[in-house]
Amino acid sequence: MPISAPRGIRNNNPCNLKDFGINWKGLSSPRSDADGFCVFSEPAYGIRACAMDLLKDFNKDAQRTILELMQEFAPGKDSNPTKQYADYIADNIRTRTGLMVGIETELDLNRFDVLYAFIEAVIKFENGQQPYSKATITRGFVLAGVEPPKPKH
């Protein structure tokens, strides 16, 4: 991977998760870079960790809106543009799913299409690009225990 690639892409950590000591599956050795961001063996494991982190915040911590989730995931105290980030995610969810959501609308992150649009936006916001195929993102979700919907016959 060229050094010019964004950190999240270089680290196979497309959501740029910091290393807070969680023993995520697929961590490399060393498990983090010099700035404390996790390094994964492949992108699907980084996507898995991101999905699991967001779903924990949604399901266990009852953070039901994009703004609540982003205040935890990318807080302003860490110099993140949290509201701008949340607006970006809401726009991607509207575009990808057709759902009329705003940053303070309760959403169902357990819906595959909503989670997909959410994480796809996080990847692009964090890296300035979203280079992963649907198969790679879906593999990360499956590794996290999130199955895609069954095709309708």
Side-chain angles (χ1 to χ4, degrees):
M1 184 70 51
I3 194 74
S4 62
R7 173 192 5 242
I9 307 299
R10 287 192 318 266
N11 289 350
N12 291 321
N13 179 4
C15 299
N16 280 323
L17 296 175
K18 286 257 189 164
D19 186 357
F20 292 114
I22 298 170
N23 288 318
W24 297 114
K25 284 185 182 178
L27 281 172
S28 292
S29 181
R31 59 183 284 142
S32 61
D33 66 13
D35 295 319
F37 289 88
C38 293
V39 178
F40 291 94
S41 59
E42 63 178 275
Y45 282 111
I47 292 165
R48 173 194 180 271
C50 184
M52 292 184 75
D53 186 50
L54 287 168
L55 288 168
K56 180 200 83 62
D57 292 344
F58 183 80
N59 290 313
K60 291 194 171 120
D61 299 338
Q63 295 166 353
R64 301 285 186 216
T65 70
I66 296 167
L67 186 57
E68 289 171 340
L69 288 161
M70 295 317 293
Q71 286 169 335
E72 172 74 19
F73 188 82
K77 70 179 175 62
D78 292 345
S79 301
N80 290 300
T82 307
K83 184 183 179 307
Q84 178 187 356
Y85 203 157
D87 285 333
Y88 186 82
I89 290 169
D91 185 55
N92 198 61
I93 291 172
R94 284 190 300 271
T95 300
R96 292 298 235 154
T97 67
L99 296 172
M100 298 314 303
V101 299
I103 64 172
E104 295 189 48
T105 307
E106 279 201 23
L107 66 150
D108 185 357
L109 207 56
N110 292 309
R111 275 184 51 173
F112 187 90
D113 61 336
V114 173
L115 181 64
Y116 190 98
F118 195 111
I119 289 182
E120 179 182 61
V122 169
I123 293 169
K124 189 162 186 182
F125 195 92
E126 290 288 333
N127 299 286
Q129 59 183 289
Q130 195 299 88
Y132 304 106
S133 67
K134 185 172 184 172
T136 297
I137 294 173
T138 299
R139 182 165 180 268
F141 286 7
V142 169
L143 288 167
V146 178
E147 293 291 330
K150 302 278 186 235
K152 296 177 184 170
H153 294 334

